[in-house]
Amino acid sequence: MWQHTAAGGAPGMAPVPTAAYDADTTAPADDGYTPTQRDLPVLGGPEAAAEPTPTLVDAPGHAAQDDQARGPLYVVGDVHGYLSELRAALREAGLVDAEGHWAAKNARLWFLGDFTDRGPDGVGVIDLVMQLSAEAAAAGGYCKALLGNHELLVIGAKRFGDTPVDSGAGTASFQAAWLLNGGQRGDMERLQDHHLQWMTRLDAMTLEDDHLLLHSDTSAYLDYGDTIGAVNDAITEALERRDPDETWELFRKFTKRFAFRDEDGPRAARELLTRYGGKQIVHGHSPIPYLTGEAHTSDEDGAEDEGPQITGPHVYAEQLAIAMDGGVTMAGKLLVSRLPLTG
């Protein structure tokens, strides 16, 4: 069942205006960052986490494919540590077998980021994605991933801990923000250098078959370059400098959300598509019920209505944007979808 919320707000929080939010926040956007409540729901707990999958590090990238050899394209929304749900969704889509190994031949699979936090086994999710990257490449396909704001958060928490950063709204730290946004101590204990190295190398955006793939529904990508390559290079170089304030600024910008949702959304979407190419943006980050305004509170008698049932991606902004975060952390659905969407 869905956690019932005021439209546009976060679970359990009082309703606030929805015109502009920091992602993962419950306050109107400003120059700072406001973390969410600490007790976001987790299905199971660390004791329920599956054993992590053995990791294959630095798997080779996919070889160039001609048009006839290119397999079908799939995207995965936010996972947030829900390893069992991810395995089930990939199996249902025919991408992995019963043992969780790549079974999709030359298919192309992109994860849209946010592998950790809130759910029980974020490191297990990272290990699985790394494993599938190697297995897909060996089979003639590929499995790749984009950098999400929670990757930035966990990188910062691991590297900088309680080091003070200037949040724009006072002193903050990555450690505090990570815990307030669902950080799981079991993940931090198991996170190793090769996981950090892998995350810091992830691209922030890519173009596949006229689909511009991003993690966050924000226009902040425009601040980092005029081409996809320039944006990816700028963000990677910033992470490699290991500066806590610079990393915090990345995190702050990519927690913004709802750029394509409201009246001005189609214009914002067209601006990104004009700059970076493609005909349609595909993103995660913002749970679909928040985009649609269907996250409800209880009625005056205290009765709770059934929340929205997510069955697939949400297409909006005059068909220019596709949202892929089905709200698995809210008892929603972990979405794995083939592009282009049909029906």
Side-chain angles (χ1 to χ4, degrees), residues 92-174:
E92 183 178 355
L95 294 166
V96 302
D97 62 22
E99 287 72 44
H101 295 290
W102 184 259
K105 299 182 180 179
N106 67 339
R108 296 167 290 152
L109 176 62
W110 277 94
F111 285 80
L112 299 180
D114 277 10
F115 304 108
T116 66
D117 305 334
R118 298 181 179 158
D121 195 3
V123 170
V125 170
I126 293 172
D127 284 338
L128 178 59
V129 177
M130 296 173 77
Q131 170 207 317
L132 293 177
S133 296
E135 293 176 350
Y142 58 88
C143 169
K144 291 195 169 188
L146 296 179
L147 182 73
N149 63 299
H150 278 263
E151 281 68 67
L152 294 167
L153 182 58
V154 77
I155 289 168
K158 186 70 170 180
R159 285 182 173 174
F160 310 121
D162 288 324
T163 300
V165 294
D166 182 4
S167 70
T171 302
S173 75
F174 273 104

Side-chain angles (χ1 to χ4, degrees), residues 204-207 211-223 225-228 231 254 259-260 264-283 320-321:
M205 62 195 318
T206 193
L207 185 64
H211 292 95
L212 182 63
L213 308 185
L214 317 168
H215 172 69
S216 302
D217 48 326
T218 177
S219 296
Y221 298 91
L222 296 167
D223 297 340
D226 291 333
T227 67
I228 289 173
V231 171
F254 291 104
F260 318 128
D264 202 38
R267 183 205 60 77
R270 288 190 184 93
E271 185 176 10
L272 263 71
L273 292 168
T274 299
R275 178 82 62 91
Y276 301 119
K279 297 179 180 178
Q280 198 169 44
I281 292 168
V282 183
H283 68 84
L320 295 173

Side-chain angles (χ1 to χ4, degrees), residues 232-268:
N232 291 335
D233 288 347
I235 292 173
T236 299
E237 290 165 6
L239 290 174
E240 288 176 346
R241 285 190 286 271
R242 294 173 175 255
D243 178 87
D245 289 317
E246 188 172 21
T247 304
W248 183 270
E249 180 68 2
L250 283 172
F251 169 63
R252 185 186 69 82
K253 285 188 174 182
F254 291 104
T255 57
K256 303 295 184 182
R257 63 167 95 234
F258 299 152
F260 318 128
R261 186 188 67 173
D262 298 315
E263 183 177 350
D264 202 38
R267 183 205 60 77

Side-chain angles (χ1 to χ4, degrees), residues 291-308:
L291 286 165
T292 61
E294 294 179 285
H296 299 294
T297 56
S298 58
D299 62 23
E300 292 181 359
D301 297 324
E304 294 185 342
D305 297 328
E306 284 294 325

